[in-house]
Amino acid sequence: MGSVHHRTATVGGQEIFYREAGPADAPAIVLLHGYPTSSFMFRDLIPLLAGDYHVIAPDHLGFGHSAAPSVEEFTYTFDALAGLTSGLLEHLGLDRYALYVQDYGAPIGWRLALEHPERISALVTQNGNGYEDGFVESFWSDVWAYGANPGPDTEPAVRAALSLDAIRWQYVHGVPDPSLVSPDTWEHDFALVSREGNDEIQLALFRDYRNNRPLYPLLHAFLRTGDVPVLAVWGRNDEIFGPAGARAFARDAEDAEVHLVDGGHFLLESHLDVVAGHLRGFLGRVLGPAGSLTPRSRPR
């Protein structure tokens, strides 16, 4: 297992934190985290990949150890977060990479793929939605209501998602043995979300989430025509993005590999070895060996 470096870069005037590991000349994989966490969610996965791949895992602006300017200083949208991520990867000289996306990382990753499809060697989605099929209505109805009409009638329901209980729920729901999930996860995330002004950052992104949905048809066209290998490894018990969202990738991505695992939204916390096994097998089949930036021919 390789050493993991903890670094920052200035992108668009903002300090972006990222974890980096593995040989610089190996095939690259970029790990994009979800809400309400950070690259911390990949802390145990990165060393399992670093022997064969160049791994980059940034914290989105407003999350983790990246800068968190106030909403008066920065307009938080998924377009803006994707722009910063793209800028970081260009700063690092990455012009070809696989993407691993989860939750918020998905709409950020889809924007990267649509902006520069030639740079994407493979897509891995772990409970990272790209289809209307994936939305669990009981969770998302409050988000849609808030996005359509933000105000005192709709805000309390989504503000509740910032609570410790709600963040803990994201980690343990759907996990057959919740004792496998460390309390450090939700305590860590809650502390960062509770920083002064961070609630307004998160509310801004809740409001903007509905603007991710128009990207889906563009993503589907990219999957049909881009010949990019796809792996969907998904917690089948996720009550945020349901398993239909994983199966849907097989509609558009030829030879999409779909695995439904008996877990929840943050699958790495309870099924790290299972996810890593599927991921390493997939990457081994579709990417060239360490030292090569040329993807192998896709299996047929």
Side-chain angles (χ1 to χ4, degrees):
M1 292 190 292
S3 299
V4 180
H5 300 272
H6 304 83
R7 296 179 164 134
T8 59
T10 301
V11 180
Q14 304 293 340
E15 287 296 304
I16 303 298
F17 172 87
Y18 62 98
R19 301 169 198 254
E20 183 173 18
D25 62 348
I29 179 167
V30 177
L31 312 178
L32 299 180
H33 70 82
Y35 169 86
T37 186
S38 62
S39 61
F40 180 75
M41 71 169 282
F42 300 117
R43 67 198 178 280
D44 295 323
L45 180 63
I46 292 172
L48 300 181
L49 299 175
D52 298 307
Y53 302 101
H54 181 196
V55 186
I56 301 293
D59 287 355
H60 308 314
L61 195 75
F63 293 81
H65 295 294
S66 286
S70 70
V71 294
E72 289 77 28
E73 299 168 305
F74 186 87
T75 301
Y76 285 85
T77 65
F78 286 90
D79 280 344
L81 296 187
L84 290 172
T85 305
S86 179
L88 172 67
L89 299 181
E90 290 180 3
H91 171 80
L92 297 176
L94 292 187
D95 58 8
R96 184 77 171 164
Y97 46 84
L99 282 174
Y100 179 122
V101 301
Q102 194 266 351
D103 192 87
Y104 275 12
I108 292 170
W110 307 151
R111 284 169 168 81
L112 298 181
L114 293 171
E115 180 184 14
H116 289 293
E118 75 283 357
R119 297 182 181 178
I120 308 303
S121 59
L123 288 176
V124 179
T125 173
Q126 183 255 295
N127 298 76
N129 198 45
Y131 289 81
E132 293 290 331
D133 310 51
F135 291 117
V136 177
E137 186 60 22
S138 59
F139 179 90
W140 286 96
S141 58
D142 289 333
V143 179
W144 304 144
Y146 180 58
N149 186 29
D153 293 334
T154 56
E155 182 178 309
V158 293
R159 185 175 281 275
L162 305 176
S163 71
L164 180 60
D165 284 347
I167 292 173
R168 178 185 180 277
W169 175 84
Q170 288 210 33
Y171 277 96
V172 300
H173 85 268
V175 181
D177 183 359
S179 71
L180 292 172
V181 183
S182 170
D184 296 342
T185 55
W186 59 80
E187 294 283 357
H188 173 271
D189 291 355
F190 178 66
L192 293 174
V193 168
S194 298
R195 291 174 294 176
E196 183 178 358
N198 200 267
D199 57 340
E200 295 300 330
I201 292 172
Q202 304 307 330
L203 290 172
L205 291 172
F206 291 164
R207 291 193 296 271
D208 190 56
Y209 199 93
R210 64 178 185 158
N211 293 320
N212 295 325
R213 299 170 82 176
L215 288 177
Y216 291 173
L218 302 177
L219 169 67
H220 305 161
F222 166 75
L223 295 176
R224 287 192 299 271
T225 61
D227 198 36
V228 174
V230 173
L231 166 66
V233 55
W234 209 278
R236 70 165 72 243
N237 308 321
D238 190 353
E239 296 176 41
I240 300 171
F241 297 122
R247 298 187 189 100
F249 282 91
R251 288 207 299 262
D252 294 303
E254 185 178 0
D255 301 321
E257 186 176 329
V258 179
H259 300 279
L260 298 178
V261 181
D262 191 18
H265 189 63
F266 283 109
L267 198 55
L268 293 177
E269 301 301 330
S270 59
H271 291 77
L272 172 67
D273 290 343
V274 174
V275 175
H278 289 309
L279 179 58
R280 288 182 57 82
F282 171 76
L283 294 177
R285 288 189 291 275
V286 303
L287 297 185
S292 169
L293 293 177
T294 304
R296 291 181 176 142
S297 298
R298 292 187 58 184
R300 296 294 180 184

Coordinates of all heavy atoms in Angstrom, one line a residue, residues 141-203:
S141 N -38.7 14.6 -2.0 CA -39.8 15.5 -2.2 C -39.6 16.8 -1.4 O -39.9 17.9 -2.0 CB -41.1 14.8 -1.6 OG -41.0 14.5 -0.3
D142 N -39.0 16.8 -0.3 CA -38.7 18.0 0.4 C -37.6 18.9 -0.3 O -37.7 20.1 -0.3 CB -38.2 17.7 1.9 CG -39.4 17.2 2.8 OD1 -40.5 17.5 2.5 OD2 -39.1 16.5 3.7
V143 N -36.7 18.2 -0.9 CA -35.6 18.9 -1.6 C -36.2 19.6 -2.8 O -35.9 20.8 -3.1 CB -34.5 18.0 -2.0 CG1 -33.4 18.7 -2.8 CG2 -33.9 17.3 -0.8
W144 N -37.1 18.9 -3.6 CA -37.7 19.5 -4.7 C -38.6 20.7 -4.3 O -38.6 21.7 -5.0 CB -38.5 18.5 -5.5 CG -37.9 17.2 -5.9 CD1 -38.4 16.0 -6.0 CD2 -36.5 17.1 -6.4 NE1 -37.5 15.1 -6.4 CE2 -36.3 15.7 -6.7 CE3 -35.4 18.0 -6.6 CZ2 -35.1 15.2 -7.2 CZ3 -34.2 17.5 -7.1 CH2 -34.1 16.1 -7.4
A145 N -39.3 20.5 -3.2 CA -40.2 21.6 -2.8 C -39.4 22.9 -2.4 O -39.7 24.0 -2.7 CB -41.0 21.2 -1.6
Y146 N -38.3 22.6 -1.7 CA -37.4 23.8 -1.3 C -36.7 24.4 -2.5 O -36.7 25.7 -2.6 CB -36.3 23.2 -0.4 CG -35.4 24.3 0.1 CD1 -35.8 25.4 0.8 CD2 -34.0 24.2 -0.1 CE1 -34.9 26.4 1.3 CE2 -33.1 25.1 0.4 CZ -33.6 26.2 1.1 OH -32.7 27.2 1.5
G147 N -36.3 23.6 -3.5 CA -35.7 24.2 -4.7 C -36.6 25.0 -5.5 O -36.3 26.1 -6.1
A148 N -37.9 24.6 -5.6 CA -38.9 25.3 -6.4 C -39.4 26.5 -5.7 O -39.7 27.5 -6.3 CB -40.1 24.3 -6.7
N149 N -39.4 26.5 -4.3 CA -40.0 27.6 -3.6 C -39.3 27.8 -2.3 O -39.8 27.5 -1.2 CB -41.5 27.4 -3.4 CG -42.2 28.6 -2.7 OD1 -41.7 29.8 -2.9 ND2 -43.2 28.4 -2.0
P150 N -38.0 28.3 -2.3 CA -37.3 28.4 -1.0 C -37.9 29.5 -0.1 O -38.3 30.5 -0.6 CB -35.9 28.8 -1.4 CG -36.0 29.3 -2.8 CD -37.2 28.6 -3.4
G151 N -38.0 29.1 1.2 CA -38.6 30.1 2.1 C -39.0 29.4 3.4 O -38.7 28.2 3.6
P152 N -39.6 30.1 4.3 CA -39.9 29.6 5.6 C -40.8 28.4 5.7 O -40.8 27.6 6.6 CB -40.5 30.8 6.4 CG -41.0 31.7 5.3 CD -40.1 31.5 4.1
D153 N -41.6 28.2 4.6 CA -42.5 27.0 4.6 C -41.7 25.7 4.2 O -42.1 24.6 4.6 CB -43.6 27.2 3.6 CG -44.6 28.3 4.1 OD1 -44.6 28.6 5.3 OD2 -45.2 29.0 3.3
T154 N -40.7 25.9 3.4 CA -40.0 24.7 2.9 C -38.6 24.5 3.5 O -38.1 23.3 3.4 CB -39.8 24.8 1.3 OG1 -39.1 26.0 1.0 CG2 -41.2 24.8 0.7
E155 N -38.0 25.5 4.0 CA -36.6 25.4 4.5 C -36.5 24.4 5.7 O -35.5 23.7 5.8 CB -36.1 26.7 4.9 CG -34.6 26.7 5.3 CD -34.0 28.0 5.6 OE1 -34.1 28.9 4.7 OE2 -33.5 28.2 6.7
P156 N -37.4 24.5 6.7 CA -37.2 23.6 7.9 C -37.0 22.1 7.6 O -36.1 21.5 8.2 CB -38.4 23.8 8.7 CG -38.9 25.2 8.3 CD -38.6 25.3 6.9
A157 N -37.7 21.6 6.6 CA -37.6 20.2 6.3 C -36.2 19.8 5.8 O -35.6 18.8 6.1 CB -38.6 19.8 5.3
V158 N -35.6 20.7 5.0 CA -34.2 20.4 4.4 C -33.2 20.8 5.4 O -32.1 20.2 5.5 CB -34.0 21.1 3.1 CG1 -34.9 20.5 2.0 CG2 -34.2 22.6 3.1
R159 N -33.4 21.8 6.2 CA -32.4 22.2 7.3 C -32.2 21.1 8.3 O -31.2 20.9 8.8 CB -32.9 23.5 8.0 CG -31.9 24.0 9.0 CD -32.3 25.3 9.6 NE -32.0 26.4 8.7 CZ -30.8 27.1 8.6 NH1 -29.8 26.6 9.4 NH2 -30.6 28.1 7.8
A160 N -33.3 20.3 8.4 CA -33.2 19.1 9.4 C -32.1 18.1 8.9 O -31.6 17.4 9.7 CB -34.5 18.4 9.5
A161 N -31.8 18.1 7.6 CA -30.7 17.2 7.1 C -29.3 17.6 7.6 O -28.4 16.8 7.5 CB -30.7 17.3 5.6
L162 N -29.2 18.8 8.3 CA -27.9 19.2 8.8 C -27.7 18.7 10.2 O -26.6 18.9 10.8 CB -27.8 20.7 8.8 CG -28.0 21.4 7.4 CD1 -28.0 22.9 7.6 CD2 -27.0 20.9 6.4
S163 N -28.7 18.1 10.8 CA -28.6 17.6 12.2 C -27.8 16.4 12.4 O -27.6 15.6 11.4 CB -30.0 17.4 12.8 OG -30.6 16.2 12.2
L164 N -27.3 16.2 13.6 CA -26.5 15.0 13.8 C -27.3 13.7 13.6 O -26.8 12.7 13.0 CB -26.0 15.0 15.3 CG -25.1 13.8 15.7 CD1 -23.9 13.7 14.9 CD2 -24.8 14.0 17.2
D165 N -28.6 13.7 14.0 CA -29.4 12.5 13.8 C -29.5 12.2 12.3 O -29.5 11.0 11.9 CB -30.7 12.6 14.4 CG -30.7 12.5 16.0 OD1 -29.6 12.0 16.5 OD2 -31.7 12.8 16.6
A166 N -29.8 13.2 11.5 CA -30.0 13.0 10.1 C -28.7 12.5 9.4 O -28.7 11.7 8.5 CB -30.5 14.3 9.4
I167 N -27.5 13.1 9.8 CA -26.3 12.6 9.2 C -25.9 11.2 9.6 O -25.5 10.4 8.8 CB -25.2 13.6 9.6 CG1 -25.4 15.0 8.9 CG2 -23.8 13.1 9.2 CD1 -24.5 16.1 9.4
R168 N -26.2 10.9 10.9 CA -26.0 9.5 11.3 C -26.9 8.6 10.5 O -26.4 7.5 10.1 CB -26.3 9.4 12.8 CG -26.2 7.9 13.4 CD -26.7 7.8 14.8 NE -26.5 6.5 15.3 CZ -27.4 5.5 15.1 NH1 -28.5 5.8 14.4 NH2 -27.2 4.3 15.5
W169 N -28.1 9.0 10.3 CA -29.1 8.1 9.5 C -28.5 7.8 8.1 O -28.6 6.7 7.6 CB -30.4 8.8 9.4 CG -31.4 8.1 8.5 CD1 -32.2 7.0 8.8 CD2 -31.6 8.3 7.0 NE1 -32.9 6.6 7.7 CE2 -32.5 7.4 6.6 CE3 -31.0 9.2 6.1 CZ2 -33.0 7.3 5.3 CZ3 -31.5 9.2 4.8 CH2 -32.4 8.2 4.4
Q170 N -27.8 8.8 7.5 CA -27.3 8.6 6.2 C -26.2 7.5 6.2 O -26.1 6.7 5.2 CB -26.6 9.9 5.6 CG -27.6 10.9 5.2 CD -27.1 11.8 4.1 OE1 -26.3 11.3 3.2 NE2 -27.5 13.0 4.1
Y171 N -25.5 7.3 7.3 CA -24.5 6.3 7.4 C -25.0 4.9 7.8 O -24.5 3.9 7.3 CB -23.5 6.7 8.4 CG -22.4 7.7 7.9 CD1 -22.6 9.1 8.0 CD2 -21.3 7.2 7.2 CE1 -21.6 9.9 7.5 CE2 -20.4 8.1 6.6 CZ -20.6 9.4 6.8 OH -19.6 10.3 6.2
V172 N -26.1 4.8 8.6 CA -26.5 3.5 9.1 C -27.7 3.0 8.5 O -28.0 1.8 8.6 CB -26.7 3.6 10.6 CG1 -25.4 4.0 11.3 CG2 -27.8 4.5 11.1
H173 N -28.5 3.8 7.8 CA -29.7 3.2 7.2 C -29.4 2.2 6.1 O -28.4 2.4 5.4 CB -30.6 4.3 6.6 CG -30.3 4.7 5.2 ND1 -29.4 5.8 4.9 CD2 -30.6 4.2 4.0 CE1 -29.3 5.9 3.6 NE2 -30.0 5.0 3.0
G174 N -30.1 1.1 6.1 CA -29.8 0.1 5.1 C -28.6 -0.8 5.4 O -28.4 -1.7 4.6
V175 N -27.9 -0.6 6.5 CA -26.8 -1.4 6.8 C -27.2 -2.6 7.7 O -27.7 -2.3 8.8 CB -25.7 -0.6 7.5 CG1 -24.4 -1.5 7.8 CG2 -25.3 0.6 6.6
P176 N -27.1 -3.8 7.3 CA -27.6 -4.9 8.1 C -26.9 -5.0 9.5 O -27.6 -5.4 10.5 CB -27.2 -6.2 7.3 CG -27.1 -5.7 5.9 CD -26.6 -4.3 6.0
D177 N -25.7 -4.6 9.6 CA -25.0 -4.6 10.9 C -24.4 -3.2 11.2 O -23.3 -2.9 10.8 CB -23.9 -5.6 11.0 CG -23.2 -5.7 12.4 OD1 -23.6 -4.9 13.3 OD2 -22.3 -6.5 12.5
P178 N -25.2 -2.2 11.7 CA -24.8 -0.9 11.9 C -23.5 -0.7 12.8 O -22.8 0.3 12.7 CB -26.0 -0.2 12.5 CG -27.2 -1.0 12.2 CD -26.7 -2.4 12.1
S179 N -23.2 -1.8 13.6 CA -22.0 -1.7 14.4 C -20.8 -1.7 13.6 O -19.7 -1.4 14.1 CB -22.0 -2.8 15.4 OG -21.7 -4.1 14.8
L180 N -20.9 -2.0 12.3 CA -19.7 -1.9 11.4 C -19.3 -0.5 11.1 O -18.2 -0.2 10.6 CB -19.9 -2.7 10.1 CG -20.1 -4.2 10.3 CD1 -20.5 -4.8 9.0 CD2 -18.7 -4.8 10.7
V181 N -20.2 0.4 11.3 CA -20.0 1.8 10.9 C -19.5 2.6 12.1 O -20.2 2.7 13.1 CB -21.3 2.5 10.3 CG1 -21.0 3.9 9.8 CG2 -21.9 1.6 9.2
S182 N -18.4 3.2 11.9 CA -17.8 3.9 13.0 C -18.5 5.3 13.3 O -18.8 6.0 12.3 CB -16.3 4.3 12.7 OG -15.8 5.2 13.7
P183 N -18.8 5.6 14.5 CA -19.4 6.9 14.9 C -18.5 8.0 14.5 O -19.0 9.2 14.3 CB -19.6 6.8 16.4 CG -19.6 5.4 16.7 CD -18.7 4.7 15.7
D184 N -17.2 7.8 14.3 CA -16.3 8.9 13.8 C -16.8 9.5 12.5 O -16.6 10.7 12.3 CB -14.9 8.3 13.6 CG -14.2 7.8 14.9 OD1 -14.7 8.2 16.0 OD2 -13.3 7.0 14.8
T185 N -17.5 8.7 11.7 CA -17.9 9.2 10.4 C -18.9 10.4 10.6 O -18.7 11.5 10.1 CB -18.5 8.1 9.6 OG1 -19.6 7.5 10.3 CG2 -17.5 7.1 9.2
W186 N -20.0 10.1 11.3 CA -21.1 11.1 11.4 C -20.6 12.2 12.3 O -21.0 13.4 12.1 CB -22.4 10.5 11.7 CG -22.5 9.8 13.0 CD1 -22.7 10.3 14.2 CD2 -22.6 8.3 13.1 NE1 -22.8 9.3 15.2 CE2 -22.7 8.1 14.5 CE3 -22.5 7.3 12.2 CZ2 -22.8 6.8 15.0 CZ3 -22.6 6.0 12.7 CH2 -22.7 5.7 14.1
E187 N -19.9 12.0 13.3 CA -19.4 13.0 14.2 C -18.4 14.0 13.4 O -18.5 15.2 13.6 CB -18.6 12.4 15.4 CG -19.5 11.6 16.4 CD -20.4 12.5 17.3 OE1 -20.3 13.7 17.2 OE2 -21.2 11.9 18.0
H188 N -17.6 13.4 12.6 CA -16.7 14.2 11.8 C -17.4 15.1 10.8 O -17.2 16.3 10.8 CB -15.8 13.2 11.0 CG -14.9 13.8 10.0 ND1 -15.3 14.1 8.7 CD2 -13.6 14.3 10.1 CE1 -14.3 14.6 8.0 NE2 -13.3 14.8 8.8
D189 N -18.4 14.5 10.1 CA -19.2 15.3 9.2 C -20.0 16.4 9.9 O -20.1 17.5 9.4 CB -20.1 14.4 8.3 CG -19.3 13.5 7.4 OD1 -18.1 13.7 7.3 OD2 -20.0 12.7 6.7
F190 N -20.6 16.0 11.0 CA -21.5 17.0 11.7 C -20.6 18.2 12.2 O -21.1 19.3 12.1 CB -22.2 16.3 12.9 CG -23.0 17.3 13.7 CD1 -24.1 17.8 13.2 CD2 -22.7 17.6 15.0 CE1 -24.9 18.7 13.9 CE2 -23.4 18.4 15.8 CZ -24.6 19.0 15.2
A191 N -19.4 17.9 12.6 CA -18.6 19.0 13.1 C -18.3 20.0 12.0 O -18.3 21.2 12.2 CB -17.3 18.5 13.7
L192 N -18.0 19.5 10.8 CA -17.7 20.4 9.7 C -18.9 21.1 9.2 O -18.9 22.3 8.8 CB -17.0 19.6 8.6 CG -15.6 19.0 9.0 CD1 -15.1 18.1 7.9 CD2 -14.7 20.2 9.2
V193 N -20.0 20.4 9.1 CA -21.3 21.1 8.6 C -21.7 22.2 9.6 O -22.4 23.1 9.2 CB -22.4 20.0 8.4 CG1 -23.7 20.7 8.2 CG2 -22.1 19.2 7.2
S194 N -21.3 22.0 10.9 CA -21.8 22.9 11.9 C -20.9 24.2 12.0 O -21.2 25.0 12.9 CB -21.8 22.2 13.3 OG -22.7 21.1 13.3
R195 N -19.9 24.3 11.2 CA -19.0 25.5 11.2 C -19.9 26.7 10.9 O -20.8 26.6 10.1 CB -17.9 25.4 10.2 CG -16.8 24.3 10.6 CD -15.8 24.2 9.5 NE -16.4 23.6 8.3 CZ -15.7 23.4 7.2 NH1 -14.4 23.8 7.1 NH2 -16.3 22.8 6.2
E196 N -19.5 27.8 11.4 CA -20.3 29.1 11.2 C -20.4 29.3 9.7 O -19.5 29.4 9.0 CB -19.6 30.2 11.9 CG -20.4 31.5 11.8 CD -19.8 32.7 12.5 OE1 -18.7 32.5 13.1 OE2 -20.3 33.8 12.4
G197 N -21.7 29.5 9.3 CA -21.9 29.8 7.9 C -22.0 28.6 7.0 O -22.5 28.8 5.8
N198 N -21.6 27.5 7.4 CA -21.7 26.3 6.5 C -23.1 25.9 6.2 O -23.4 25.3 5.2 CB -20.9 25.1 7.1 CG -20.5 24.1 6.0 OD1 -21.2 23.1 5.8 ND2 -19.4 24.4 5.4
D199 N -24.0 26.1 7.2 CA -25.4 25.8 6.9 C -25.9 26.5 5.6 O -26.6 25.9 4.8 CB -26.3 26.1 8.1 CG -26.3 27.5 8.5 OD1 -25.3 28.3 8.2 OD2 -27.2 28.0 9.2
E200 N -25.6 27.7 5.5 CA -26.0 28.5 4.3 C -25.4 27.9 3.0 O -26.0 27.9 1.9 CB -25.7 29.9 4.4 CG -26.5 30.6 5.6 CD -28.0 30.5 5.4 OE1 -28.5 30.5 4.3 OE2 -28.7 30.5 6.4
I201 N -24.2 27.4 3.1 CA -23.5 26.8 1.9 C -24.3 25.5 1.5 O -24.6 25.3 0.4 CB -22.1 26.4 2.3 CG1 -21.2 27.7 2.5 CG2 -21.5 25.5 1.2 CD1 -19.8 27.4 3.0
Q202 N -24.7 24.7 2.5 CA -25.4 23.5 2.2 C -26.8 23.8 1.7 O -27.3 23.1 0.8 CB -25.4 22.6 3.5 CG -24.1 22.3 4.1 CD -23.1 21.7 3.1 OE1 -23.5 21.0 2.1 NE2 -21.8 21.9 3.3
L203 N -27.5 24.8 2.3 CA -28.8 25.1 1.8 C -28.7 25.6 0.3 O -29.6 25.3 -0.5 CB -29.4 26.2 2.7 CG -29.8 25.8 4.1 CD1 -30.2 27.0 4.9 CD2 -30.9 24.7 4.0

